[in-house]
Amino acid sequence: MRPWILYCILLASSVCQLVGLVMFAKGFFPYKSISTTFATMDDLPVLPSTGASQGASGSEDNESIRPRYGKVVLMLVDALRSDFLYGNESDFSFVQSLIDTNQALPFTALASAPTVTLPRLKALTTGTVPSFLDAILNIAESDQSSTLANQDNWVAQLTRSKSLWKNRGKEKRNIGFFGDDTWIKLFPGLFFRSEGTSSFFAMDTIEVDNNVTRHVQPELAKDDWDALIFHYLGLDHVGHSGGPKSGLMRPKQAEMDSIVKNIYSTLRDQQQDDDLPTLFILCGDHGMNEVGNHGGSSRSEISTAFLFMSPHFQQPSMSARIKAIMDPYRVESVQDQEEYQYYKSVSQVDLVPTISLLLGLPIPKNSVGKLIPELFDEYSDLEKLRALQINAFQVAEVLKGKWSEFETEAVVLLSSYTPIDNQDQDSDDHAFETCAGMDSEKQRLSCWYTEALAAHASFLEMNRAGSRIHYKDHDKTASFRAAERSYSKFLSDSSSMLSTALSKYDMPLLTNGSLVMAFAVAGFMYCAMQTNLLSNLKRSCREPSSVNVKKVTSTIIYTSPDTAPLPSVSNFAVPKPLLKTPFSSLTTGDTNEIDWTMARGLSAVIFILYLVTLFASSFVEEEHQFWYFFNMSWWAVLGITSARYLIPATSFRDSGFDFKPYLAAGYCFAQMAILRLLRSWNQTGQKYADQIDLRHYLNSSWLGVSWLLFGATMATIALSLISLVYNFQQSTKQQYQENAQDGSSSSPSSPGWQPVTSMLHALLVILVVLVTLWIILYKMDLESSYFGDQLMSQVHSLMIRISAVGYSQISTLPSEERPPLTVSGFELARGCYLGLGLILVLTLTLKGLASSLTPVSDGDTGALTDKNAVSKVVQSKPQALFVPGMILGVVTLLLVLLSRRHNAPIYVLFGIQLWLYIEWISLIRQRPSNSDHHQFSQLSNTAAEKAKSNVYVVEPLAQDDSDTIEASVAARTAPAILDLAFRTLPGQSSIHSCTALLWMLSSFFLLGNSNSIASIDISNAYVGIQAYDIFLTGVLTFVSNWAGPIWWTLATVVMMSWDLEWELAWTAQAAELELAQQEEQAWETVQGWRRSKDDKMSGMSRRTRRRVVREKKCKVGKEQKPAAAVATDGEEARKADAVAGVKSKADGAVIENFESLQEKYDLSTADAVEDENIADRKQVEDDIEYLEEVSSAEPPSAILARLGAQGYRLHLAQVRVVEHLILTSLFFGITLYALSIAAIVLRHHLFIWTVFSPKVLYQFAWTALFQIVIQTVLVGGGVWALILFI
C-alpha cells in the first residue's frame, strides 16, 4: 500500500482516537452532585429535644447564633506556604509578633489536590472539593463555565444579607475586590468595586502586587463596604520564576508583611466600641514545591497558612483565651516539628462554615467543611452546640443527597431514642464503641449524628429554665462534652468521606470512549500490517541464528543475485541479502550480520512492563525511574550487540589495528554515562523531589557557574549552526564546480549567482548570531539583579550598537542627561521569534536554490567499491543534514528561550547524544566484513584478491555452456554482493523508533517534569505576549513543558535522514552490481566474449547493448513463470539437481566444500536420507519456506530502477517516516487505552485524584498534543515534506 494512503489511514485512526479521548474525559472527570439552590435562615434546624420535653418552651426555636463580626477583610497571598508565614526564616516579622503576643490565631490549612488557584478558590468560598477538571479550566483565563453564579457560597450569601454596620442601616452588604481576576470570573456582578490582574504573567513580581496595594488605603478609608478581598500574586510568581529559595522570596515576604501591618493598624484605628469588630483573615490558596510549582499533593504543596486577626483580640480576656488555645500547639524544638506543620491543622473547606457563622450567614448548602471551634471559644456552651448543630445539619443534608434515606430531622431521630444513663461513667465510651462497630459507613454516620442530637437535647433539658430537676455542674459538663464530641466526630468523618464521594462517573461514556480508542488502536495495527514492519522484525530476529544456512546451501548455491530463478537450477528465488549464506557457510561460518533479537526482546519487555505499571500508583508517581532504568538497559544491549557483531574475530588487519568497531560499543556506553549525568540534573517524582540536585547548586551557590554554562551553551548552539551553514556552502560550491566542469549552464558559480548565494549565507550567519545574543540578553534581563545595574548598563550600551531590537525608545538627549537604557522583554522575545522564522526561511531558500540548480544524481556510486560508496555518503552529509540540522538548531534556540536558565546545558548534552548515535549509525552501516579475509580463503589467489577489492571480473570460459556460464557468474560475482549484503539491516528503522521513544519519554522527566500537575511550569507562558491569549499561552506552556520530547522528535528527523543516506547509497551500489552482473551474463551468453577488469561498462557497442536488452527481456519472461509451476517442482528433484550441479559445474574449491556438506547432511537423494536426519530434512524444508517468504517482496534495486534515484529517495523516506509514525502511534494508542482501563478499574481507588487523574491528563496531552499534533501532523506531514520536496 502506498505510503500516503497509509498516512491518511493513520490520520483517520488518530481522529477516531481523539473522539474516544473526548468521550472518556467527559465521563471520567466527573461532575459534582451539588445543589443549585441557596441556603436561607429558614432552612436552619430546630433545637433537638427528647420526647419528654417535646413542645417545651424554646424547643421549636430555629434561630442562628449571634454574629460576632460585622466586617471582614480577606487578604489572600497566592502560594503562601505555611513555613513562609510561621517558619524561622520567614520575613513576616509583624505577623509573628502578633502570634507571639497572643493577638492572632494561627493554623496550618491543608488543601486537597489539585493545588491550583481556581479549585482552591472554589473550596474557600463554597466549602466543596472541586472537580479535577477545574485544574484544566484554571489555565483557561477566559473560560466562563466555572462560574459560581448558580452555586451557593459565602460571598453570594454576604451580598444577600443585610449590613450589620450601624451607619449602614438595613442596606445590603457590599464587597470590594482587587487582585487575581479569577475572582471576577467566579463571582460575576457580585463586587460593587473591583479591579482584576492577570494571574499567568508569571515573570511579573512587582506590578501585579502594586496594582492591588494602591487600592488598600483608599478602600479601607471608605465606610461603604462590608467585606474587602485582596488577592496578591507576586509571591506565587516569585516561586514560579525562581523557586522558594529565590533571592526575591524574602523581600516579597517583607512586602506582604508591611501590607498586613498597614491593614491591621487601619482596622484598629477605625474600631468603634459600639460596633461589631472587623475580622481580618490572612491565608493562602496553596503552597509550592521546591521548584516553585504547585498542583500536586505533596506536603509542601498542600500546606498553607491561615491566620485570624482582629482588634478585638487585643482585649486581655481574648489574649488569655488565645494563649490557652495555642499553648498545646506551640513547638519548643524544631526537631520535633513535622515538616510544614505549624500549630493546629485544619482543612481549607473549614473556612466556609466558620466565616458564615461568625458573620451571621447560613452555611452554603454544598459545604463539606466543619467549623473551627477555636474561633467560637468566647461563645457560651449553648451557642457552641447550636453552631455545631447547624453545621452538622447542613452536612447531613449533603449526605441525604448521597443517601436519600439518610434521616436529618432531630424530631424523627429522637422520637424512638432511649437516652443513655448519665450516671454511667462509661456510657460515652460505650456509645462511641457502638457507633464505631457499625457495619456500613452510612450506619456509623447516622449513629454519630443521633448520639450528638441526643446529648445536645439532654444538655438543653439540663439548662432549660423552670426545670423541676436540679442538675449538677459536672453532669452538665459531661453532657456538653458528649454532644461536642459526637458532633465533632460526625463532622470529621462526614467531611472526610464527602471530600472523595461527591463524584459521579458516567460509565456509558467511559466504556464507549475506551471502545472507540480500541478501534483506533486496531486502525494503527492495520497500518502496521500493510508495511514491512512485521517481516523486517522477523528477519532481524531470525537471521542469521534461526536459519541454518548450511542445510539450505545446496538449494540456493546457484541462485542468481537478483530475484529471478536461473533456468537450469531450482526455481527458488532468493534476495540479494541472503546470498552471503552459501559462501559464509562454505568456510568458517563466521558472519558479520547483526541479530537484533536481544534488542527486540528488551523492547517487548519494556512495553509490557510499562502497561503493567499503569495500574500501580507508586509506579505512576515515580515513572521517571522506569524510563531511566530501561534507557540505560537499552544502551547496554545495543553496546553488547555492537561489540558482538561489529568487532571481528581478528581485529588486526593488513593495515594494522582497526579501532572503529570498538568505537560503536564505546558510543553506546558513552550514552549511558551522559544519561547518568542528566539524571542528577533535576530531581522529580514524589519520593525524591526534594533531594539536592545540580539544579539546586546552579541556582544557589553555583550561580556564576550556571551563567558560564549558559553562555557556553549558547555559543555551542550558534557555532553548530554556523558550521552547518559553512559546510553546506562548501559542499554546494564543490558541487557547482563539478557541474561547471560538466558544462552546466545554470551553475551558480557564475558571476550572476555567486554574490546572491554568498549574501544569503552571510545573512543567515548574522541572524544566527543576533538571535543568540537576543536570547542571552533576554535571560540576563530577567535576572538583572544578579549582574547589577552597572554591568547591565554596559551590556545595554553594547547591544544597542549591535541591534535596536527590544529597545522601544532610544533617547536623543546628551549622554549625561540620558536615562538608563532598559530593554522590553516583550519586544525582545518577539524579535527572537521573528529571527528564528527568518533563519528557517533562508535555510529553505538556500536548499531550494541548491536543489534546483544542481542536476539530480542518478545514484551512481562511481565504482563497485565500498570505499567509493562511503566517500559518496560522507560527501553528501552537509547537503543531507543541512535542512534537518538547521530546523533542529532553530528549535533548540526556541526551547532555550522557553526553558529555565539552568536547563539550557541539557540541550548540549542532548546534542552530544545525537552525534554519538549518528556516528554509531555510520559504523553500523559501513561495518567491516570478515569475508574480506576469511570467507574466500579457499578460492584461488586471483579470485581472493579480486574479491577483496570488490572488482567485478569474469574469467574466460572454455565452452559455451549457458548453465556453466550462469553458475560461474553467480559464484564469482558473489564477493561483491556478499560484502554489500552485510549493510542490509532488516528492521533497522524500528530500532531508530524504539531509541527515539526512549529518548522522548526520558527527556520529559530529565527536564524536571513528572506526572504531577505541580511540575507544569507556566513561567514561560507569556514570553513575547503582552496580554492573555488562551491559544498562544497554551501553546507556549505546552512547548516549554514538552521541550525535551519535542527536541528529540526533531532529532529523530536528523538521525533518520542520515540513515536514509546510507540506505540509498547501498541500494544504488546494489543496483549497479546487479546491472554489471546482467551485462556480464549478456557478454558470456551471446558469444562467450570476455572483458578484462580495465574495460569500462560504458564501453559496450550499440550491437552489444541491443543484445543485453534482448537478454533482459528473456529474463523478464522467465521471471513471469507462474508460482504454481514453481510449487509443483518436487523437493527431492530440486535437491538432486542442486547436488548434481555442484558436482559438475562449480569450481574445484567450491566442489570440495559442497562434497563435504553432502557427506555431512546426505542431501544427494531423498532415498539416501537416514532416519536420524529426518529432523534435519524438516528443518531444511522450514528454512526454505522461510526464505521463500522473505524473498517475495520487490527488492530495493528493482524499485530504484523503476522510480529513478530521486523517486526512490522520496519513496524510501515516505516509507520510513510512515513506519516510524505507525510505531509511535501504536505505543501511545495502546498506552492510552490501557490507562483508560486502569482508570475505570481503579476509579474508587484512594489515590484516584492525586495520582491517576493527573496521569490521565498527562497521557491525554502526550497522545493528542504531542503524538498527533506534533509528531504526526507537524513533523510527519510538515517538516518531512519540507526536507523531501525542497
Side-chain angles (χ1 to χ4, degrees):
M1 188 176 291
R2 294 184 178 180
W4 68 269
I5 298 178
L6 285 177
Y7 183 74
C8 293
I9 297 175
L10 189 67
L11 287 178
S13 301
S14 299
V15 172
C16 179
Q17 190 177 47
L18 288 177
V19 173
L21 187 150
V22 172
M23 294 173 62
F24 183 86
K26 190 174 181 180
F28 179 72
F29 292 106
Y31 58 92
K32 293 293 182 179
S33 179
I34 59 176
S35 173
T36 57
T37 60
F38 288 78
T40 64
M41 287 296 184
D42 297 333
D43 298 328
L44 297 180
V46 297
L47 290 170
S49 61
T50 60
S53 61
Q54 183 70 34
S57 176
S59 62
E60 300 292 340
D61 189 8
N62 64 344
E63 292 183 359
S64 180
I65 62 174
R66 57 187 173 90
R68 190 67 191 86
Y69 299 95
K71 290 185 175 183
V72 62
V73 176
L74 176 64
M75 179 178 172
L76 193 153
V77 179
D78 210 289
L80 183 61
R81 201 169 67 184
S82 56
D83 61 322
F84 292 165
L85 191 63
Y86 306 134
N88 294 330
E89 297 181 359
S90 171
D91 270 77
F92 282 90
S93 56
F94 174 76
V95 169
Q96 292 194 351
S97 68
L98 291 179
I99 297 173
D100 294 339
T101 57
N102 302 313
Q103 297 182 49
L105 274 170
F107 299 93
T108 296
L110 301 179
S112 59
T115 49
V116 291
T117 297
L118 179 61
R120 293 301 91 226
L121 293 185
K122 286 187 174 183
L124 288 169
T125 55
T126 66
T128 62
V129 179
S131 169
F132 204 88
L133 195 59
D134 289 320
I136 303 175
L137 299 178
N138 184 72
I139 301 176
E141 188 171 295
S142 59
D143 172 70
Q144 297 298 327
S145 62
S146 56
T147 178
L148 296 178
N150 297 319
Q151 187 173 342
D152 202 358
N153 58 86
W154 67 262
V155 177
Q157 290 288 352
L158 198 62
T159 59
R160 288 166 175 252
S161 63
K162 295 180 181 180
S163 176
L164 299 177
W165 207 245
K166 284 191 174 182
N167 62 356
R168 295 284 312 286
K170 299 297 182 181
E171 299 177 5
K172 297 291 184 181
R173 300 195 195 190
N174 294 327
I175 305 177
F177 170 77
F178 305 91
D180 185 357
D181 56 5
T182 305
W183 288 80
I184 300 175
K185 178 178 63 177
L186 287 174
F187 308 103
L190 294 185
F191 303 122
F192 83 121
R193 279 194 302 268
S194 64
E195 182 179 85
T197 58
S198 176
S199 60
F200 284 94
F201 190 28
M203 304 311 296
D204 178 16
T205 63
I206 299 175
E207 292 299 324
V208 70
D209 284 345
N210 291 341
N211 288 333
V212 179
T213 304
R214 62 189 178 90
H215 293 285
V216 171
Q217 278 301 329
E219 291 297 323
L220 290 174
K222 298 174 183 177
D223 60 356
D224 58 349
W225 58 271
D226 295 276
L228 289 176
I229 301 174
F230 302 104
H231 189 152
Y232 284 89
L233 293 165
L235 189 140
D236 179 61
H237 289 184
V238 169
H240 281 299
S241 59
K245 303 297 183 181
S246 169
L248 300 176
M249 182 58 71
R250 297 191 66 172
K252 178 58 67 175
Q253 294 176 7
E255 178 187 346
M256 295 295 102
D257 185 67
S258 65
I259 296 171
V260 172
K261 181 178 181 180
N262 188 10
I263 295 175
Y264 183 85
S265 301
T266 302
L267 295 178
R268 182 185 56 194
D269 296 340
Q270 291 178 347
Q271 181 65 45
Q272 302 294 328
D273 294 336
D274 56 347
D275 282 323
L276 291 175
T278 300
L279 179 64
F280 181 22
I281 305 173
L282 173 65
C283 66
D285 54 349
H286 51 74
M288 66 174 65
N289 57 23
E290 290 306 308
V291 185
N293 295 328
H294 51 86
S297 57
S298 65
R299 186 72 186 184
S300 60
E301 295 168 73
I302 66 173
S303 299
T304 67
F306 263 15
L307 185 69
F308 295 88
M309 299 167 284
S310 175
H312 174 60
F313 292 172
Q314 290 183 328
Q315 298 178 5
S317 60
M318 280 301 302
S319 296
R321 289 178 181 272
I322 294 174
K323 184 178 186 303
I325 292 171
M326 289 295 104
D327 280 347
Y329 300 104
R330 299 186 190 276
V331 180
E332 298 296 338
S333 175
V334 178
Q335 287 75 13
D336 298 333
Q337 177 181 306
E338 185 180 352
E339 191 175 19
Y340 306 111
Q341 173 62 49
Y342 300 87
Y343 309 105
K344 181 182 178 180
S345 293
V346 298
S347 176
Q348 269 192 344
V349 294
D350 295 345
L351 175 67
V352 176
T354 302
I355 196 174
S356 297
L357 293 173
L358 290 176
L359 295 176
L361 305 174
I363 300 176
K365 279 193 171 184
N366 302 305
S367 172
V368 297
K370 56 187 180 68
L371 58 81
I372 303 174
E374 287 77 9
L375 287 165
F376 296 84
D377 191 67
E378 60 178 320
Y379 283 84
S380 66
D381 290 345
L382 288 172
E383 288 181 305
K384 290 178 182 177
L385 290 183
R386 178 58 176 167
L388 288 169
Q389 184 204 1
I390 294 173
N391 191 186
F393 177 79
Q394 175 269 320
V395 173
E397 287 292 323
V398 178
L399 288 173
K400 191 173 184 179
K402 177 178 176 62
W403 301 312
S404 58
E405 65 276 12
F406 191 87
E407 185 58 56
T408 62
E409 295 296 334
V411 176
V412 178
L413 290 172
L414 298 180
S415 59
S416 59
Y417 179 79
T418 302
I420 299 175
D421 187 2
N422 291 331
Q423 294 181 357
D424 185 359
Q425 297 181 356
D426 297 329
S427 61
D428 190 24
D429 294 335
H430 176 70
F432 266 69
E433 292 177 1
T434 301
C435 293
M438 296 291 181
D439 295 333
S440 66
E441 192 169 30
K442 173 186 171 183
Q443 292 176 336
R444 287 194 296 272
L445 293 178
S446 179
C447 180
W448 294 128
Y449 186 49
T450 305
E451 288 293 335
L453 290 174
H456 188 185
S458 177
F459 181 75
L460 290 175
E461 176 64 23
M462 293 179 183
N463 288 275
R464 184 168 56 88
S467 176
R468 298 178 181 180
I469 304 176
H470 179 71
Y471 294 93
K472 298 179 180 179
D473 290 341
H474 77 273
D475 292 334
K476 295 181 181 180
T477 301
S479 181
F480 170 78
R481 296 300 181 194
E484 183 183 46
R485 182 181 179 185
S486 297
Y487 275 131
S488 298
K489 183 64 175 176
F490 168 76
L491 288 171
S492 177
D493 289 0
S494 299
S495 178
S496 177
M497 188 272 295
L498 289 172
S499 296
T500 58
L502 282 177
S503 302
K504 289 185 178 180
Y505 298 95
D506 192 330
M507 291 306 298
L509 276 178
L510 286 177
T511 54
N512 291 335
S514 297
L515 185 61
V516 173
M517 286 188 282
F519 279 122
V521 172
F524 298 145
M525 290 182 176
Y526 173 78
C527 292
M529 294 173 63
Q530 302 305 310
T531 65
N532 293 328
L533 286 172
L534 296 180
S535 61
N536 285 338
L537 174 63
K538 188 175 182 180
R539 292 174 61 193
S540 65
C541 292
R542 187 163 182 173
E543 291 186 28
S545 58
S546 296
V547 179
N548 193 332
V549 294
K550 296 183 178 181
K551 295 181 181 181
V552 299
T553 297
S554 60
T555 304
I556 64 174
I557 183 61
Y558 290 124
T559 303
S560 175
D562 55 18
T563 58
L566 293 176
S568 62
V569 197
S570 77
N571 290 319
F572 174 51
V574 182
K576 288 187 290 296
L578 300 180
L579 287 178
K580 65 181 180 298
T581 52
F583 298 94
S584 60
S585 61
L586 287 176
T587 55
T588 62
D590 181 19
T591 68
N592 232 11
E593 179 62 282
I594 293 183
D595 181 4
W596 299 111
T597 302
M598 189 183 299
R600 303 296 186 196
L602 178 61
S603 61
V605 169
I606 293 173
F607 185 53
I608 294 173
L609 288 180
Y610 180 58
L611 296 181
V612 173
T613 62
L614 297 177
F615 291 81
S617 60
S618 297
F619 280 101
V620 171
E621 287 181 330
E622 304 297 323
E623 183 180 339
H624 61 287
Q625 302 286 4
F626 179 90
W627 294 117
Y628 292 168
F629 174 79
F630 281 108
N631 203 343
M632 284 280 196
S633 303
W634 178 259
W635 286 113
V637 167
L638 292 186
I640 293 171
T641 304
S642 301
R644 180 182 178 186
Y645 290 103
L646 266 69
I647 299 177
T650 304
S651 297
F652 291 91
R653 304 289 177 113
D654 297 339
S655 58
F657 181 76
D658 187 3
F659 64 91
K660 288 185 178 179
Y662 294 92
L663 283 179
Y667 288 153
C668 296
F669 298 131
Q671 296 273 10
M672 299 174 65
I674 295 176
L675 182 60
R676 185 62 192 88
L677 173 62
L678 289 172
R679 288 184 59 178
S680 61
W681 209 280
N682 292 290
Q683 292 288 353
T684 184
Q686 291 289 335
K687 190 174 182 181
Y688 303 106
D690 296 336
Q691 297 294 319
I692 299 297
D693 49 21
L694 287 178
R695 172 189 57 197
H696 170 77
Y697 293 109
L698 292 175
N699 289 320
S700 55
S701 57
W702 295 358
L703 197 56
V705 176
S706 177
W707 276 106
L708 288 176
L709 288 175
F710 179 78
T713 298
M714 297 306 298
T716 303
I717 297 173
L719 290 175
S720 299
L721 290 175
I722 293 173
S723 70
L724 277 175
V725 176
Y726 175 78
N727 292 333
F728 177 76
Q729 183 182 22
Q730 296 301 314
S731 176
T732 305
K733 284 183 179 180
Q734 182 179 357
Q735 200 167 10
Y736 289 162
Q737 292 173 0
E738 294 175 357
N739 295 338
Q741 293 175 0
D742 294 338
S744 176
S745 60
S746 61
S747 175
S749 60
S750 61
W753 280 105
Q754 191 166 1
V756 176
T757 55
S758 299
M759 180 182 67
L760 292 178
H761 285 99
L763 182 59
L764 187 56
V765 172
I766 292 173
L767 278 175
V768 169
V769 174
L770 283 178
V771 171
T772 303
L773 292 176
W774 292 340
I775 294 175
I776 295 175
L777 180 61
Y778 181 85
K779 294 293 185 179
M780 291 179 65
D781 191 66
L782 291 178
E783 302 183 42
S784 57
S785 59
Y786 170 75
F787 297 98
D789 294 338
Q790 182 178 1
L791 179 59
M792 289 304 300
S793 177
Q794 295 175 356
V795 170
H796 289 314
S797 300
L798 176 62
M799 283 299 301
I800 200 68
R801 300 172 184 173
I802 300 175
S803 169
V805 173
Y807 298 92
S808 55
Q809 294 182 355
I810 302 176
S811 177
T812 58
L813 296 174
S815 58
E816 61 274 4
E817 302 178 8
R818 189 177 301 166
L821 283 171
T822 58
V823 67
S824 171
F826 159 74
E827 294 182 2
L828 189 58
R830 287 206 166 181
C832 293
Y833 294 151
L834 179 60
L836 293 174
L838 290 176
I839 291 175
L840 284 179
V841 171
L842 285 176
T843 298
L844 298 177
T845 302
L846 287 170
K847 181 61 177 178
L849 285 174
S851 300
S852 62
L853 298 173
T854 303
V856 179
S857 173
D858 59 357
D860 182 19
T861 56
L864 303 178
T865 61
D866 290 347
K867 183 177 180 180
N868 195 28
V870 172
S871 177
K872 286 290 185 181
V873 176
V874 173
Q875 290 178 6
S876 67
K877 188 174 183 179
Q879 296 282 335
L881 299 186
F882 177 62
V883 174
M886 290 299 294
I887 292 176
L888 179 61
V890 167
V891 172
T892 303
L893 289 174
L894 174 64
L895 296 179
V896 171
L897 177 65
L898 298 179
S899 299
R900 293 179 181 266
R901 167 187 37 79
H902 64 266
N903 280 337
I906 293 180
Y907 296 105
V908 174
L909 296 176
F910 284 168
I912 296 175
Q913 286 185 299
L914 177 61
W915 178 82
L916 291 172
Y917 192 74
I918 288 176
E919 293 299 314
W920 181 78
I921 291 175
S922 302
L923 291 176
I924 287 290
R925 286 296 188 182
Q926 57 174 321
R927 61 192 186 279
S929 171
N930 285 342
S931 64
D932 292 347
H933 297 270
H934 302 287
Q935 304 295 334
F936 302 98
S937 59
Q938 299 184 28
L939 298 178
S940 63
N941 294 334
T942 304
E945 292 176 359
K946 294 172 181 177
K948 289 181 183 180
S949 59
N950 281 342
V951 176
Y952 179 81
V953 67
V954 176
E955 297 294 335
L957 299 174
Q959 56 181 347
D960 187 10
D961 187 330
S962 60
D963 292 344
T964 305
I965 292 170
E966 292 174 0
S968 180
V969 169
R972 288 176 179 136
T973 58
I977 304 294
L978 175 66
D979 199 44
L980 171 67
F982 285 125
R983 280 81 172 190
T984 305
L985 296 175
Q988 176 72 10
S989 60
S990 58
I991 294 293
H992 298 331
S993 298
C994 292
T995 305
L997 273 174
L998 286 171
W999 266 332
M1000 294 170 191
L1001 294 163
S1002 298
S1003 64
F1004 176 77
F1005 299 102
L1006 288 172
L1007 288 171
N1009 298 302
S1010 69
N1011 285 328
S1012 171
I1013 297 181
S1015 63
I1016 297 179
D1017 189 359
I1018 63 171
S1019 61
N1020 297 291
Y1022 275 81
V1023 176
I1025 301 177
Q1026 275 185 317
Y1028 176 79
D1029 184 282
I1030 185 172
F1031 176 76
L1032 294 178
T1033 54
V1035 169
L1036 291 177
T1037 301
F1038 174 77
V1039 172
S1040 61
N1041 285 274
W1042 265 260
I1046 290 174
W1047 194 94
W1048 279 113
T1049 299
L1050 293 169
T1052 305
V1053 176
V1054 175
M1055 67 186 186
M1056 290 181 67
S1057 299
W1058 181 235
D1059 189 63
L1060 187 66
E1061 292 300 313
W1062 287 103
E1063 196 166 357
L1064 289 169
W1066 299 126
T1067 303
Q1069 189 188 37
E1072 292 181 17
L1073 288 170
E1074 182 178 0
L1075 178 60
Q1077 187 181 34
Q1078 290 173 354
E1079 291 174 348
E1080 291 296 343
Q1081 286 180 351
W1083 277 95
E1084 297 284 357
T1085 304
V1086 175
Q1087 290 182 1
W1089 296 340
R1090 64 179 298 275
R1091 184 175 52 188
S1092 67
K1093 62 180 181 179
D1094 297 329
D1095 291 337
K1096 299 295 184 180
M1097 296 296 179
S1098 60
M1100 291 188 294
S1101 64
R1102 293 183 179 180
R1103 180 182 179 185
T1104 305
R1105 288 182 180 276
R1106 287 196 297 268
R1107 292 176 178 175
V1108 170
V1109 171
R1110 287 198 298 270
E1111 177 67 15
K1112 290 183 178 180
K1113 291 181 179 180
C1114 293
K1115 286 178 66 70
V1116 171
K1118 295 174 183 178
E1119 289 178 352
Q1120 294 175 350
K1121 181 178 180 180
V1126 177
T1128 58
D1129 294 338
E1131 185 67 28
E1132 292 79 5
R1134 254 201 288 178
K1135 295 178 180 178
D1137 289 344
V1139 175
V1142 170
K1143 292 181 177 179
S1144 61
K1145 299 177 182 179
D1147 292 338
V1150 179
I1151 291 176
E1152 293 177 2
N1153 285 279
F1154 273 83
E1155 287 176 347
S1156 63
L1157 287 176
Q1158 179 185 347
E1159 294 175 359
K1160 182 175 182 179
Y1161 292 101
D1162 196 11
L1163 296 176
S1164 57
T1165 62
D1167 297 332
V1169 179
E1170 299 180 1
D1171 293 340
E1172 61 270 16
N1173 292 328
I1174 293 178
D1176 292 339
R1177 288 184 57 194
K1178 180 61 177 175
Q1179 183 64 40
V1180 169
E1181 294 172 358
D1182 293 341
D1183 292 342
I1184 292 175
E1185 180 181 356
Y1186 166 68
L1187 294 175
E1188 289 174 342
E1189 175 187 345
V1190 299
S1191 64
S1192 59
E1194 184 180 13
S1197 58
I1199 303 176
L1200 177 62
R1202 175 166 51 85
L1203 299 178
Q1206 191 66 15
Y1208 180 71
R1209 175 187 293 272
L1210 180 61
H1211 167 79
L1212 184 60
Q1214 290 174 343
V1215 169
R1216 294 293 177 257
V1217 172
V1218 170
E1219 287 178 351
H1220 173 71
L1221 293 178
I1222 290 173
L1223 282 174
T1224 55
S1225 297
L1226 268 174
F1227 173 82
F1228 287 109
I1230 296 176
T1231 299
L1232 180 62
Y1233 176 69
L1235 184 61
S1236 68
I1237 300 300
I1240 293 175
V1241 173
L1242 302 173
R1243 63 186 182 276
H1244 298 303
H1245 193 275
L1246 178 63
F1247 300 119
I1248 186 64
W1249 297 122
T1250 57
V1251 177
F1252 292 104
S1253 292
K1255 175 59 179 176
V1256 170
L1257 285 177
Y1258 271 101
Q1259 200 60 46
F1260 285 174
W1262 273 108
T1263 303
L1265 298 179
F1266 177 73
Q1267 173 58 28
I1268 297 178
V1269 176
I1270 299 295
Q1271 286 219 98
T1272 304
V1273 177
L1274 295 182
V1275 177
V1279 174
W1280 273 108
L1282 292 175
I1283 294 173
L1284 296 177
F1285 293 101
I1286 294 182

